Amino acid sequence: MDNTPDREILERLLKLEQENYRILKALRSSQRWGVFWGFIKFLLLIIPLIIAYFYLQPYLQMIWATYEQAQGQLTNLQQLGAKIPDMGELLKQFQQARPQ
């Protein structure tokens, strides 16, 4: 009982399955490499940022301290300006006090 049409169909199916297996294996391999290279790209982006943060942190702290100091001085000047009378009022007082 040699069913040649059935046997031919089974052989063609076997060849198609083998080809599908090779294609799927290549796709899985490609996907793994894609994940690997994506991770490498991520590291190449993140590592310089971390290094830059640690390298620049002391300078950023100095800049921030200078900014806070300048802000404090500005607040002091504003408070001093509020204590000084208006220049128009000061001029009037000076003119009134001056003998004519």
Side-chain angles (χ1 to χ4, degrees), residues 3-99:
N3 294 336
T4 56
D6 291 340
R7 185 164 181 85
E8 289 175 12
I9 292 173
L10 287 175
E11 286 177 4
R12 281 195 326 206
L13 281 174
L14 179 63
K15 286 181 183 179
L16 287 174
E17 285 181 14
Q18 289 172 345
E19 184 180 352
N20 283 343
Y21 177 74
R22 282 194 304 263
I23 292 171
L24 287 174
K25 190 174 178 182
L27 285 173
R28 268 190 260 137
S29 175
S30 175
Q31 182 183 18
R32 285 186 189 132
W33 279 110
V35 169
F36 174 74
W37 287 116
F39 183 70
I40 295 295
K41 284 191 246 180
F42 177 74
L43 287 179
L44 289 175
L45 177 70
I46 295 299
I47 289 174
L49 292 176
I50 292 171
I51 291 171
Y53 172 75
F54 285 115
Y55 178 74
L56 295 176
Q57 186 179 12
Y59 300 110
L60 294 175
Q61 287 176 345
M62 288 189 310
I63 291 170
W64 185 256
T66 304
Y67 170 74
E68 286 178 338
Q69 185 180 9
Q71 191 175 19
Q73 293 297 329
L74 182 61
T75 303
N76 290 341
L77 284 175
Q78 288 174 343
Q79 291 172 352
L80 182 63
K83 291 179 183 177
I84 297 176
D86 186 24
M87 290 303 264
E89 291 292 322
L90 191 60
L91 186 59
K92 286 179 187 177
Q93 288 176 4
F94 178 73
Q95 287 175 352
Q96 289 174 357
R98 191 176 76 174

